[in-house]
Structure formats: C-alpha cells, structure tokens
Amino acid sequence: MDEAALSVVNEIENEMMLYVLSDHCYQCLPQPLGILPARPVSGTPTTVGFVVSTQHALTLLLNNTSTNLEQCNVHFHFGEQGNYSLWVKNLNEPSQVSCTMITESEPINSYLPILFTFLAFAFLAVLSAIWNTVKRLDVVTNLLIRLGSTVETERLINSELGTPNRLVNASTESIIPATTGRRLRSLDTFRGFALVIMVFVNYGGGRYWFFRHESWNGLTVADLVFPWFVFIMGTSICLSLSGSIRRGVKRTHLLWRIVWRSLQLFLIGVIIINPNYCQGPLSWDSLRIPGVLQRLGFTYLVVAVLDLVVAKDGLTNLSSETCWYSVHDVCLYWPAWLCVIVLETIWLCLTFLLPVPNCPTGYLGPGGIGDFGLYQNCTGGAAGYIDRWLLRDNHIYQTPSSRVVYQSTMPFDPEGVLGSINSILMAFLGLQAGKVLLHYRDQHKQIITRFLIWGFILGIISAVLTKCSRNEGFIPVNKNLWSFSYVTTLSCFAFVTLGVFYYTVDVKKWWSGAPFFYPGMNSILVYVGHEVFQEYFPFRWKMANSQSHAEHLTQNLLATSIWVFIAYLLYRKKIFWKI
C-alpha cells in the first residue's frame, strides 16, 4: 500500500546519486535513495529499481557523485502500485542532462473502496429514512398491529431508530434543567459521532494516510475527534453540574464526585495504554504515563472545579434591556474566564520563552530532518523538553507521528503535560456552549446564532494565528503540541457542528441521531472496549491481502459497526457504564 515501483535508467557515463524530497516535509533536506552506476562505455544503460511513497508528491533529484552538482530534478506524484521509469539521458552537450518520467503500468485507484463504502452507507440511510416515514402511516400502523402483539408493535413504532419521544431520568448527564427534563439528544449524537470516527481511525482507517494523525503541522480526519470529545465533555460538565446544583446537591459532594471520577479516568487510561497480555509482567521502567483518558481526567478535574466554583444556584434573570445582556452568558462567569486566560498565558510563556538546551527558544518544529536537520533532537520544543524532564524518556510515547515524515528519533507524547493546558481551554469553550444552552434554553434561534458567532470569532483567531497556511503562521495548527491555533480551529468546527446537530436533531427533529446516538450514550464503555479488544476476533482477523486498502477498510468499518451495534443493544437493555 501507498507505494510504487520506480526503475531509473542511466544512459550517461557518470555515476549519479538519487535523492528524494516529499512535498509534505517542510524545510527538509533531500534524503538519499540510492546510487545509479555509470553506463559502461559503449555498453547498455544501467537500471536500478526503487520503491517510492505515493502518499504525497515527491521531488526526485539526481546529483553527479564526483562533483556533487545537481544534474536534474523531477516533481511527480506517483500512483499506488504503479510502475514507472525515469530515463536519464545526455542532451546535445555532455553537460546537459535530461530526465524523463514514463508510466510503464497504470496505478490502481485506491480511493474506489471509499466511494463504494459511502454509496453503501448512503443507501442504508435512505432505506432507514423511507422505513421511518412509511411505518408512521396509518395504514402501515394498523397492519403492524394486526400482524403482531400490541406491546411489541408499540415498541417498534416508538423505536429510538425513529423520532425520539421518550423522557429519560433527570439524574443522568447532559440534562437541560428545563421543564421538559429531556436529554439534549444532539449532544449525545455529537459525542457518538466523534467517538465512532475515533474508533474507526484507531482501528486503522483503512490504512489511508488522511485517516491517520498528521505527522506534524496540519489536520487530518484523525486529528478532529479527540478535541471534539474534550469540547463535548465541557458542555456536559456545564449541564450536569447546573442540574445537580439546582436539585440541591451539596457542592462538597459534587467536588468529591469530580475528584473520584477524574482519578478513575486516569487509572483506567494508564491500564489500557500499557497492555502486557503476552509479554510477561509489566515493567515499571517503561510504563507510559500520559494518554487520552489521563488527559480527559485531568481536564475534567480542572474545568469541573472551575465551573463548580462559579456556577450559580439558579439562572440569573436579566432584563433584555440590560446593556450587557447579549454577553451575560460570558460576563456572569468572568472569574473562570480569568483563570483560563492565566493558564493560556502560562502556556504561551512556557512555549515561547522557556530555554531548552541545544534548541532555539520558542521552537515548534518536529526535529529530525525538519528545519534542514539543524535541530534533530528538539522535537516539540518546550513541550517535549518538559515531558522528558518531568516524566523521563521511558514514560512517554516512543513512536510519535513525526517519525513518519520527519524521521525524528526523540520520544514525544501528544498527550503531554504542556498540551494539557490547551485541552483545558478546549473543554472550557465547550463549557461556554453549555452556558449558551442554559441561558437561552428554548430560544433556538438565539442558541444557534451564538454558536455561529463563537465559530466565526474562533475561526478569525485561527486565520490570524496560522496566516491561513499549514506551516507559515505564527502558531501553526498542530495536534501533537495541542497548539493554541489547533484549539481555536477545532473549537470553531465544534461550535458549528454542534449547532447543525442541535438544529436537525433537537429543534426540527429531522433526524433521531441514530446510529451515533447509541455510542454517545455509552462512550466510556465503547472507548475502553475498543482499545482492549482491538486485536481480537471479530474486530481483527488475518487478511488474504494485507496490502489492500479495500480489505483494511472492510475490516475497520466492520469492527466499528460492531461497537455501534453493541452500544445499541446496551441502550435497549438500559445498560450504561458511567464513572
């Protein structure tokens, strides 16, 4: 997968060195691929075979080994499993060299499996929509009643696959403390949507590069879901704590629950990222400490305590004539905003002012061969240095995504200490979405308008910080660092996406949220389960062709669908794992 065969035919009487440089590798030095022997005098051309990557466009450079001068270069995007020939010839003058790329056999279209999958799921969605419409017709309803028992038919008609019409226990999470007592179904749908994508990409994402984490700066599909999950957690904190406080639960009791839940998340996270099922006893010398659930636990602790301190016992009824009414959902919680601004200032100071040995101050690069190889051991700058200083090399992630393109050799943890500050900001922005839902409950136009305004403001901040580029901005979008622009960009997306889900699911009720609603209701169980059982059948099996995107995509989609089905069954049985 993601490779092509290249034969280089040398017709000149000089030995050449072939270098390769990926367009995706920012400020990288060309890397040697191999030597092309000189053609013997009056002999046949020499041919050497290479394997090249097809994920991104490449620049091939040929240098004369005796003079180290560039003879020619070719910019080309190879196709997967294609066969190519690069002919190196002399022109009229011996010093002039021509390089010509020829396609010997056409590459395959590796994206067809994605198209077929999309069409298949779209067909199922259309069938589901048709069935949900038809079964509500009086004729069909009467027919179903005659065919089956009244109880079973009523269950079928009121199935959660259709329009939601059930009330849920008001003690559960994500409750809007309004008179309806309903769960905010769009929030569970958004949570489930993020979780399903997370499971899919963690299982491999069909081995497509855009379903894997970005090597350094930039975004792929895989980089979207974890911040969204953090954002949704912040929204849930707001709705849950507000409901508990209004029901008269003591704040000291809520504080204990917050600390206990955070501790559980941290411990579960440490357990599932350090599996040692078949490798003997776990070595404490190589125990990885940071991780996804660990960061969720820490972020939850900070944001929930902040909200617990500033949350009101009841919603403040302000007159719409008040001069600051339009921003009262922000101004009423100014102490919490002040704390978050202080934390973000700390992040900025540590990131750009902390001296890092043998590295430039404020360095945000990947190290390795990036930045022309000048800072090979500076991966992550201050963020990497703090993790290695506090936790030591053996207790952080050993194979960061920067190794793929930038060939970095230093361990670096994308869930490290410094990035946790920005995950707090992400959750706090989600908390602000919850404040909008609370203060403007049942005012759908106001809620959606404010979501869009927040998305616009955060989008403008991201555009300024990044200069609308992948690498040239003041603070590039970077998932590994959880950079400030990464948080503003993903929060912008989150506000807009939540607004769309809220409008279609809770306001217009055009969509029930299925199937994403079910894993959203059992998110911890699905996340932990998919991590623990990912190497077991039926989630993984030996493939006939392990170099086929189609087989990997089929396996990963089936495994993800199984977890969605498990979540649906648990929902029907009213089994929910909460901590």
Side-chain angles (χ1 to χ4, degrees):
M1 290 184 295
D2 300 327
E3 291 180 343
L6 173 66
S7 298
V8 183
V9 183
N10 187 9
E11 291 191 356
I12 64 177
E13 297 176 359
N14 293 320
E15 185 180 72
M16 311 282 282
M17 173 65 79
L18 177 64
Y19 294 87
V20 64
L21 176 63
S22 171
D23 282 5
H24 210 62
C25 195
Y26 180 64
Q27 291 185 342
C28 294
L29 294 172
Q31 299 301 298
L33 198 59
I35 293 178
L36 306 179
R39 189 198 73 178
V41 178
S42 302
T44 58
T46 59
T47 303
V48 181
F50 300 98
V51 175
V52 292
S53 172
T54 62
Q55 291 185 358
H56 306 286
L58 303 176
T59 298
L60 302 176
L61 302 100
L62 282 169
N63 286 12
N64 190 316
T65 55
S66 59
T67 63
N68 200 30
L69 295 177
E70 181 181 314
Q71 300 296 300
C72 68
N73 69 77
V74 177
H75 185 263
F76 195 78
H77 197 157
F78 295 92
E80 185 171 327
Q81 297 182 19
N83 285 293
Y84 303 88
S85 294
L86 178 63
W87 289 77
V88 184
K89 304 177 181 180
N90 275 326
L91 295 178
N92 297 330
E93 298 181 16
S95 60
Q96 295 182 342
V97 177
S98 167
C99 294
T100 305
M101 185 71 71
I102 298 175
T103 302
E104 302 290 352
S105 63
E106 292 294 330
I108 64 171
N109 189 338
S110 59
Y111 302 115
L112 281 179
I114 297 179
L115 175 62
F116 293 147
T117 299
F118 173 78
L119 293 176
F121 278 101
F123 178 71
L124 292 176
V126 170
L127 286 183
S128 176
I130 293 173
W131 168 243
N132 286 331
T133 302
V134 169
K135 74 179 182 181
R136 284 171 175 76
L137 298 176
D138 292 340
V139 175
V140 178
T141 302
N142 294 332
L143 178 62
L144 289 173
I145 291 174
R146 285 196 294 269
L147 290 176
S149 68
T150 304
V151 174
E152 181 61 22
T153 304
E154 185 67 20
R155 183 202 65 79
L156 180 62
I157 293 172
N158 293 328
S159 168
E160 291 296 336
L161 290 172
T163 303
N165 60 358
R166 295 177 58 193
L167 298 179
V168 298
N169 190 323
S171 64
T172 55
E173 225 172 80
S174 305
I175 299 292
I176 296 183
T179 56
T180 60
R182 292 181 181 272
R183 280 187 75 99
L184 187 62
R185 196 178 182 94
S186 56
L187 187 62
D188 291 316
T189 302
F190 190 16
R191 183 190 294 113
F193 177 70
L195 182 59
V196 167
I197 299 177
M198 183 183 291
V199 172
F200 174 65
V201 299
N202 285 351
Y203 276 160
R207 295 298 188 269
Y208 290 99
W209 67 267
F210 43 82
F211 288 138
R212 298 177 182 175
H213 290 297
E214 182 60 83
S215 186
W216 201 246
N217 294 335
L219 283 177
T220 64
V221 175
D223 298 323
L224 303 177
V225 289
F226 184 31
W228 283 353
F229 207 80
V230 174
F231 182 93
I232 298 162
M233 181 180 70
T235 310
S236 297
I237 288 171
C238 173
L239 302 179
S240 178
L241 286 182
S242 176
S244 297
I245 291 172
R246 294 187 69 199
R247 291 194 303 273
V249 181
K250 292 183 178 179
R251 295 186 187 238
T252 52
H253 178 67
L254 291 175
L255 178 61
W256 164 246
R257 276 170 43 184
I258 290 168
V259 173
W260 176 235
R261 178 175 292 182
S262 301
L263 181 61
Q264 288 181 85
L265 283 171
F266 189 90
L267 291 177
I268 293 171
V270 170
I271 291 170
I272 66 173
I273 65 169
N274 291 286
N276 243 54
Y277 311 129
C278 306
Q279 301 169 3
L282 178 67
S283 171
W284 293 103
D285 294 335
S286 58
L287 180 78
R288 182 187 172 194
I289 297 174
V292 170
L293 289 182
Q294 296 92 307
R295 174 167 285 187
L296 282 175
F298 176 73
T299 303
Y300 175 82
L301 175 65
V302 176
V303 175
V305 169
L306 266 180
D307 191 45
L308 185 63
V309 171
V310 302
K312 310 297 181 182
D313 292 335
L315 293 179
T316 304
N317 293 320
L318 287 177
S319 170
S320 58
E321 301 299 325
T322 307
C323 62
W324 50 282
Y325 176 79
S326 60
V327 290
H328 75 281
D329 52 308
V330 175
C331 295
L332 287 173
Y333 307 98
W334 66 266
W337 276 99
L338 183 61
C339 291
V340 171
I341 291 172
V342 169
L343 285 174
E344 194 58 35
T345 303
I346 292 172
W347 181 86
L348 289 169
C349 290
L350 289 175
T351 300
F352 292 103
L353 301 179
L354 180 69
V356 178
N358 303 316
C359 301
T361 302
Y363 181 69
L364 299 176
I369 64 173
D371 300 293
F372 308 111
L374 297 175
Y375 316 115
Q376 295 185 16
N377 297 325
C378 296
T379 303
Y385 174 69
I386 289 173
D387 286 343
R388 291 189 290 271
W389 177 66
L390 285 176
L391 306 175
R392 303 305 177 191
D393 288 8
N394 291 339
H395 297 294
I396 60 178
Y397 195 44
Q398 299 297 307
T399 55
S401 58
S402 56
R403 291 194 173 199
V404 177
V405 172
Y406 292 95
Q407 301 176 25
S408 59
T409 58
M410 297 294 290
F412 180 84
D413 208 304
E415 279 76 52
V417 175
L418 193 57
S420 298
I421 295 177
N422 279 339
S423 71
I424 292 170
L425 174 62
M426 186 84 194
F428 188 77
L429 290 170
L431 186 83
Q432 185 58 44
K435 299 299 183 186
V436 171
L437 291 165
L438 283 175
H439 286 272
Y440 301 96
R441 65 180 184 271
D442 300 327
Q443 301 178 49
H444 305 314
K445 183 178 179 180
Q446 293 282 4
I447 289 173
I448 293 171
T449 300
R450 276 162 173 75
F451 282 174
L452 294 178
I453 290 173
W454 271 108
F456 178 77
I457 293 172
L458 292 165
I460 292 296
I461 294 173
S462 297
V464 172
L465 291 176
T466 63
K467 298 182 181 178
C468 297
S469 66
R470 187 164 67 95
N471 296 300
E472 302 295 339
F474 303 108
I475 304 178
V477 172
N478 189 295
K479 189 266 179 189
N480 284 287
L481 297 173
W482 269 69
S483 64
F484 182 47
S485 59
Y486 176 68
V487 171
T488 56
T489 301
L490 271 296
S491 296
C492 166
F493 295 165
F495 270 108
V496 174
T497 306
L498 181 57
V500 172
F501 280 13
Y502 178 75
Y503 185 74
T504 57
V505 175
D506 286 313
V507 178
K508 292 297 185 180
K509 294 182 171 53
W510 291 334
W511 177 32
S512 69
F516 304 117
F517 173 73
Y518 308 114
M521 290 285 290
N522 241 328
S523 55
I524 294 296
L525 186 146
V526 172
Y527 180 80
V528 173
H530 101 277
E531 286 279 2
V532 172
F533 295 105
Q534 64 177 323
E535 298 296 334
Y536 295 88
F537 182 83
F539 307 106
R540 187 154 297 174
W541 62 84
K542 185 177 181 180
M543 290 178 286
N545 180 9
S546 63
Q547 297 303 310
S548 165
H549 278 295
E551 287 203 43
H552 279 282
L553 187 63
T554 301
Q555 184 182 86
N556 301 152
L557 281 173
L558 180 60
T560 305
S561 300
I562 290 172
W563 281 113
V564 174
F565 184 66
I566 290 172
Y568 170 72
L569 293 179
L570 294 174
Y571 177 82
R572 298 300 303 173
K573 297 293 183 181
K574 295 182 174 59
I575 299 173
F576 305 101
W577 181 26
K578 296 185 178 181
I579 58 176

